[in-house]
Amino acid sequence: MKTPEEIFAEAKALVESADTPAAVEELRIRYLGKKGEVTALLKSMGGLAPEERKSFGMQANKLKQDVEALLEAKQGVLAEAGQGLRLAAERIDVTEPGRIYEPGTKHMITITMDEISGIFMRLGYSITEGPEVETVFNNFDALNAAPDHPSRDMSDTFYITEDTLLRTHTSPVQVRTLMSQEPPIKVISPGRCFRTDTPDATHSPMFHQVEGLLVDEGVTMADLKGTLDLFAKRMFGEEMRTRFRPHFFPFTEPSAEVDVSCFVCGGSAPSCRVCRGSGWIEILGCGMVHPNVLKVGGLDTDRYTGFAFGMGVERIAMLKHGIDDIRLFYENDIRFIGQFY
Ligand code: DAH
């Protein structure tokens, strides 16, 4: 049988060469476990003569404590080394350049709608919105469109059912407003519209408009002209002049299209890309609200008059910023959309 000194010397050598916590645990079991060598030594005490038992017992207990101390010390060393390894693996190089997160910007269409809305809000208009899926009644009939009006055609309009469609303009919001509000009415309505156009440089099946409606007692064409002239100057520059050209819309009478003086050539270049030498650029449609439309809202047309206007947001943004292809708005090429903020 090995002496306590022999067991300790052997255990010490083995513990020193153990290099993982699991190996140390194995040694603990080998020496101090139920069937361990040190445990066996302690158990063997029972067979000794009483006079031998005391000094042997002291030796055996000391051995047990020494081996425990050895194992504990080694576990401590290994745990510390493990921690060191983990820290080394998790090391962060604080001198590395940081990641750059580019801040986003508003889309040009949103910027332009906000700008248009802002001008009218400062004139006391409030914003109201209508649904993109509309009734045929609100989109056409209530707006005094003749039953055979060409824009009703399947080839121009996205129908959902026989009497619902994707609105072709924001004008149905006029109808909704007249049916739900009492004069004085002073609203603008920005939003998306849809037509079955094949995309090209100036057409898109989805586009945006801003609609305006003002109804009160004693509203005249002079109010319309003054309002839209002021809008054009705020939007395009104080030096801008406006021209009202007679036009036809079913929902206004009289109706006009509004042109602004060409801000590219000022009318001086016969070959101007923007005004084609005319000196004028069309920016919107407008007119005095047709009595038939006012009647849809149940208004007394002897008492109330009003004006309305509608403009294409893409068209205004393209004119203002010299953008020559409407499709650029929807491609989401960061090189394009990142230019505006
Ligand atoms: N809804 C017309 C269009 O999409 C634009 C328009 C013209 C709106 C005259 C109006 C208006 O409110 O009075 O072409």
Side-chain angles (χ1 to χ4, degrees), residues 169 171 174 195 209 211 249 251-252 285-287 308-310:
H169 50 180
S171 301
Q174 288 189 39
R195 289 179 199 175
Q209 288 188 339
E211 190 81 13
F249 296 106
F251 34 89
T252 43
C286 65
F309 53 87

Side-chain angles (χ1 to χ4, degrees), residues 98-155:
R99 292 195 188 113
I100 294 168
Y101 293 98
E102 301 274 0
T105 63
K106 281 191 183 175
H107 192 276
M108 187 71 244
I109 294 300
T110 307
I111 293 171
T112 307
M113 284 203 292
D114 287 353
E115 205 175 346
I116 297 167
S117 306
I119 292 170
F120 286 103
M121 281 165 80
R122 268 168 259 139
L123 293 174
Y125 288 70
S126 50
I127 296 186
T128 179
E129 281 182 307
E132 290 164 13
V133 175
E134 256 300 0
T135 60
V136 170
F137 178 80
N138 286 348
N139 195 83
F140 291 126
D141 302 281
L143 288 166
N144 202 38
D148 58 350
H149 194 278
S151 66
R152 289 180 183 258
D153 218 274
M154 284 268 287
S155 60

Side-chain angles (χ1 to χ4, degrees), residues 8-9 35 42 49 54 78 123 127 147-148 193 216 225 246 326:
F8 181 76
K35 291 179 182 155
L42 283 163
K54 190 172 172 207
L78 288 178
L123 293 174
I127 296 186
D148 58 350
C193 309
D216 203 350
K225 291 184 75 176
I326 196 172

Side-chain angles (χ1 to χ4, degrees), residues 249-274:
F249 296 106
F251 34 89
T252 43
E253 183 60 37
S255 306
E257 278 190 335
V258 176
D259 300 338
V260 292
S261 43
C262 180
F263 35 79
V264 174
C265 74
S268 63
S271 61
C272 176
R273 209 168 40 82
V274 176

Side-chain angles (χ1 to χ4, degrees), residues 312-330:
V313 178
E314 281 82 349
R315 181 173 167 78
I316 292 204
M318 288 168 80
L319 288 172
K320 189 164 168 163
H321 300 282
I323 298 161
D324 59 8
D325 195 318
I326 196 172
R327 290 167 293 196
L328 287 166
F329 290 124
Y330 318 116

